[in-house]
Amino acid sequence: MAQGNNYGQSSNGVADESPNMLVYRKMEDVIARMQDEKNGIPIRTVKSFLSKIPSVFSGSDIVQWLTKNLSIEDPAVYLCKRTMQNKARLELADYEAESLARLQRAFARKWEFIFMQAEAQAKVDKKRDKIERKILDSQERAFWDVHRPVPGCVNTTEVDIKKSSRMRNPHKTRKSVYGLQNDIRSHSPTHTPAPETKPPTEDELHQEIKHWQMQLDRHRLKMSKVAESLLAYTEQYLEYDPFLVPPDPSNPWISDDTTFWELEASKEPGQQRVKRWGFGMDEALKDPVGREQFLKFLESEFSSENLRFWLAVEDLKKRPIREVPARVQEIWQEFLAPGAPSAINLDSKSYDKTTQNVKDPGRYTFEDAQEHIYKLMKSDSYPRFIRSSAYQELLQAKKKGRNIPIFPCHKNCTPTLRASTNLL
């Protein structure tokens, strides 16, 4: 109930008047009234032989509360009173007679009390002036025509979508609320004729077909698969959450000891940091030491230009805007221009798009090329790095508590590479 203020509003803040929202609001109001401490459903504690069950209410409590607070009997009193009045002028329609019989079966145990209420109201009405009595009869009838309309008509207090959709189809002729034998839709005071629908044009049909084709092509996952992935992710990162698994030496969020953070930032990674590089390429690139080890591996395979280009583009996104045009030209000349010293392999589509973007340089000029290189490294270079002997030896050494030398940047590194290894 804490979100009740925003419930029923569209994304732009305008109140949502969709067909079912009015019904939902009524349901919310009823539930809020049920939860009221003074006038809501009584909550009590049930004691058994050996235990207590707190905050208990029964189904009969709900029924009694609804009967008492929602005036469910009012339609029955109204219809019962109608049977006592002038039958020639106020004769019940077929659907009203059916409703009266249904209510009589529902309230069989207290029908005598309902009948007495209707009889008392009818006696009071007879004492009124004739004109006043007609006015009150008309007002009461109008009220129930709105809140209990003719079957097939739109209920303006609920605007039920099913009833609204039925109005598009013709109905059989039946006796109306005014006792006239005709189509009920032409006499109902609450019915608004539905607008005539035009057949869709050819363009509209093409657009609809295209829309549903896109819906069919959308990637969908079963909830069981999503749950399995979430559980696997949670189990994988469990030991890295200091609130779930106490870290060594201590949790810096609880104590004043920052040793844990200092170890995480050191150039001598522990076993946990090295193990985390194997979770995904993003984990290796986030860690400065992991990034250096990955770069060293790519140099051994003569494909380091891919990672150096990716890092250079990441660095470009953080540069001041006044430095961006010059930096774009440097990256272009080093990696993409004809005869570039560290040429990367791009598909024709990404290359053409990047060539156009260079004419109007910006921080995201190489976005398409960077994405292509990222996918290439993730699917090819990174899996080989994780399987390589260099990474496995480093992982095993950290498990045994031994330190092995972390290789620095190669002496022949380009300026781009030197700047990139200082990222993050």
Side-chain angles (χ1 to χ4, degrees), residues 374-399:
Y374 178 86
K375 291 179 179 178
L376 185 65
M377 291 191 298
K378 186 176 181 179
S379 61
D380 182 43
S381 303
Y382 173 73
R384 285 189 280 110
F385 166 66
I386 296 302
R387 294 193 301 267
S388 68
S389 58
Y391 174 74
Q392 294 299 329
E393 288 174 4
L394 181 62
L395 183 61
Q396 293 301 323
K398 294 301 177 181
K399 283 184 179 179

Side-chain angles (χ1 to χ4, degrees), residues 97-112:
E98 293 175 2
S99 298
L100 180 62
R102 185 171 59 253
L103 290 169
Q104 189 170 1
R105 290 193 299 271
F107 296 107
R109 294 185 178 181
K110 54 188 310 185
W111 189 254
E112 184 177 353

Side-chain angles (χ1 to χ4, degrees), residues 206-305:
H206 281 303
Q207 291 179 0
E208 187 173 359
I209 292 172
K210 184 178 179 180
H211 168 74
W212 290 116
Q213 285 177 342
M214 291 174 61
Q215 294 297 317
L216 289 174
D217 294 337
R218 285 180 60 188
H219 184 62
R220 291 177 173 83
L221 291 175
K222 293 183 178 179
M223 284 302 299
S224 58
K225 297 294 183 183
V226 175
E228 289 176 5
S229 300
L230 182 59
L231 288 173
Y233 177 87
T234 305
E235 292 173 357
Q236 186 180 49
Y237 285 89
L238 179 64
E239 60 180 306
Y240 297 93
D241 192 327
F243 288 99
L244 298 178
V245 177
D248 186 23
S250 63
N251 187 347
W253 294 104
I254 299 175
S255 65
D256 293 331
D257 186 6
T258 60
T259 307
F260 178 79
W261 286 337
E262 292 171 358
L263 291 174
E264 286 292 306
S266 70
K267 293 184 178 181
E268 293 293 334
Q271 188 264 337
Q272 278 191 326
R273 279 177 65 184
V274 176
K275 179 182 176 183
R276 192 164 179 166
W277 300 348
F279 292 173
M281 191 171 75
D282 290 333
E283 295 291 347
L285 295 178
K286 268 193 314 185
D287 192 318
V289 181
R291 191 165 59 246
E292 288 182 12
Q293 291 299 306
F294 187 31
L295 183 60
K296 175 179 174 296
F297 170 78
L298 293 177
E299 284 176 349
S300 68
E301 294 198 337
F302 304 99
S303 59
S304 63
E305 66 276 359

Side-chain angles (χ1 to χ4, degrees), residues 326-345:
R327 186 64 182 142
V328 166
Q329 288 302 319
E330 290 177 7
I331 295 174
W332 172 262
Q333 293 298 328
E334 185 176 353
F335 297 103
L336 291 167
S342 302
I344 58 175
N345 186 17

Side-chain angles (χ1 to χ4, degrees), residues 63-82 99-100 102-104 106-119 121 140 143-144 148:
V63 173
Q64 291 177 6
W65 187 90
L66 291 172
T67 304
K68 178 181 178 181
N69 292 273
L70 298 187
S71 302
I72 300 176
E73 304 164 1
D74 287 354
V77 174
Y78 163 71
L79 293 175
C80 192
K81 185 173 66 173
R82 285 271 303 277
S99 298
L100 180 62
R102 185 171 59 253
L103 290 169
Q104 189 170 1
F107 296 107
R109 294 185 178 181
K110 54 188 310 185
W111 189 254
E112 184 177 353
F113 175 72
I114 293 174
F115 187 84
M116 290 172 59
Q117 282 184 296
E119 192 174 29
Q121 291 184 18
E140 189 176 25
F143 174 85
W144 289 110
R148 295 290 187 275

Side-chain angles (χ1 to χ4, degrees), residues 45 91 94 174 215 401 406:
T45 299
E91 183 180 2
D94 293 341
R174 63 179 70 173
Q215 294 297 317
I406 302 297

